[in-house]
Amino acid sequence: MLRTPRTRLTAVGAAASLALALAACGGEESAGPTADPEEIVLSLVPSGDVDSITESAKGLESFLSKRIGIPVRAEVTESYAAAIVAMKSEQAQVAMLGPIGVVQAEDQAGAVPILQSVRYGSGTYHTQWFTNDPETYCTDEVKVVEGLKYCNGTDAAETGPAGENAIAKIKPGTSIAFVDQGSASGYYYPATQWGQVSGGDALVDLDAQFAGDHDAAVLSVARGDYPIGVSFDDAREEVAADEPKVASQVVVFAYSNEIPNDGIVVAGGISKELRTKITDAFTAMAKDPKGIKTLHAVYEIEGLEKVDTAALKKAKSVEEKFGE
């Protein structure tokens, strides 16, 4: 998702499945502007600990409410699909989503992308593949950088792809800790990448397990539940202090292609005036010292910029071809 910027490993539940089914029905265009709401609901999807993001979201509510002039209430949904359904059913007016969620919200809920996150000075990031079995997936010596382990040149690579020869070693039937069925870095991009380098079909040939967030995917591999996992780069930093096995057992061995960062979308049914107020409020928040601290606490956002439409088109292409 979000890179984001994350506890248990679960299959995707019935509620998420229902959300996906409902979302799939919604390719129609928005019916057009209606009366603006008296309250704005902001949908968030957990990239890590739910309690932590819920607490951090209070800062979003306060800042945005004052700037927009309408009460803003943040709701943490269980999945990307659920957040999109909330927008489609007019239960939410704003959502902070990963790139796949952004293009799906456009297609299924008539949402309008307004801003894109910046991290480390970049509007893109990549999936990291990691393992507790370096003898199989590392073709060179494991290197330690700032307490975390890398191989196959990932310690030096600033962008992806990297280590694709190692990805090709992942055999059909291998259990992999993915993140969420709607996550770009946690499912769409790595599953697509494995299919491209192996010639297989990730949706059929791999034993996909869904951790629910990036933290949980890392922890499941650290604790030996699964041999391989994926997450945004570098989700290990979020949990290494609390789980020593992350530093000792989890080795990053490959990266995906670059992925556009997560973004902010607004409901297509609200007025252009309110859309502008929301955009201006988030932009002001990213420039305010306290505001940017809140954005960083929620999703590690270091800045906001205009939407990169070309990058989103590439994400849309991945989404459309996924599973073919």
Side-chain angles (χ1 to χ4, degrees):
M1 157 180 191
L2 296 168
R3 184 198 182 284
T4 73
R6 58 138 133 76
T7 206
R8 63 189 184 280
L9 212 65
T10 63
V12 175
S17 298
L18 175 60
L20 284 167
L22 289 171
C25 298
E28 303 87 352
E29 294 183 0
S30 172
T34 57
D36 285 335
E38 295 182 357
E39 176 189 60
I40 293 173
V41 175
L42 168 62
S43 284
L44 305 173
V45 181
S47 56
D49 181 68
V50 174
D51 291 338
S52 177
I53 194 172
T54 300
E55 182 64 28
S56 298
K58 293 178 181 178
L60 288 176
E61 294 174 332
S62 177
F63 191 99
L64 295 173
S65 295
K66 292 177 182 178
R67 284 281 179 165
I68 299 170
I70 298 175
V72 174
R73 175 167 54 87
E75 287 191 350
V76 180
T77 62
E78 64 180 12
S79 68
Y80 298 98
I84 293 169
V85 170
M87 295 203 78
K88 181 173 174 57
S89 61
E90 300 182 357
Q91 300 302 305
Q93 291 72 43
V94 185
M96 300 177 75
L97 302 169
I100 297 299
V102 168
V103 298
Q104 289 178 336
E106 281 188 281
D107 291 344
Q108 299 170 9
V112 179
I114 56 171
L115 293 166
Q116 183 174 311
S117 300
V118 175
R119 296 182 185 84
Y120 305 106
S122 175
T124 67
Y125 70 113
H126 45 260
T127 298
Q128 63 177 18
W129 293 79
F130 46 84
T131 184
N132 52 32
D133 183 13
E135 291 187 4
T136 299
Y137 299 106
C138 290
T139 60
D140 59 6
E141 182 181 353
V142 173
K143 296 182 179 180
V144 179
V145 180
E146 295 182 358
L148 298 175
K149 294 183 176 180
Y150 303 82
C151 68
N152 302 336
T154 55
D155 61 303
E158 294 184 359
T159 59
E164 289 194 317
N165 289 340
I167 294 174
K169 293 183 178 182
I170 302 173
K171 297 179 180 179
T174 300
S175 296
I176 298 181
F178 289 106
V179 175
D180 179 279
Q181 282 185 317
S183 173
S185 63
Y187 190 41
Y188 275 84
Y189 276 76
T192 299
Q193 185 181 27
W194 182 82
Q196 291 172 338
V197 301
S198 71
D201 183 343
L203 304 184
V204 175
D205 299 332
L206 295 177
D207 178 21
Q209 301 294 320
F210 296 96
D213 62 55
H214 296 262
D215 285 359
V218 173
L219 291 171
S220 68
V221 173
R223 295 167 181 169
D225 297 331
Y226 299 94
I228 295 172
V230 298
S231 72
F232 66 82
D233 170 37
D234 192 322
R236 293 178 298 175
E237 295 174 354
E238 303 298 313
V239 291
D242 296 326
E243 177 50 81
K245 288 184 178 179
V246 170
S248 62
Q249 300 297 321
V250 181
V251 183
V252 168
F253 68 90
Y255 293 148
S256 74
N257 291 318
E258 290 298 290
I259 307 168
N261 281 348
D262 49 294
I264 302 169
V265 298
V266 298
I270 65 174
S271 68
K272 289 184 179 180
E273 180 182 5
L274 181 55
R275 184 194 309 168
T276 298
K277 288 183 179 180
I278 293 170
T279 304
D280 290 347
F282 272 105
T283 301
M285 192 171 194
K287 295 178 180 179
D288 180 89
K290 291 184 178 179
I292 196 62
K293 285 183 179 180
T294 297
L295 288 169
H296 192 275
V298 174
Y299 284 140
E300 297 185 359
I301 294 172
E302 297 178 355
L304 292 170
E305 62 184 13
K306 292 182 179 180
V307 172
D308 185 338
T309 55
L312 282 182
K313 284 182 179 179
K314 292 181 180 180
K316 184 177 179 64
S317 178
V318 170
E319 191 267 344
E320 288 176 338
K321 295 177 180 178
F322 191 70
E324 289 185 354

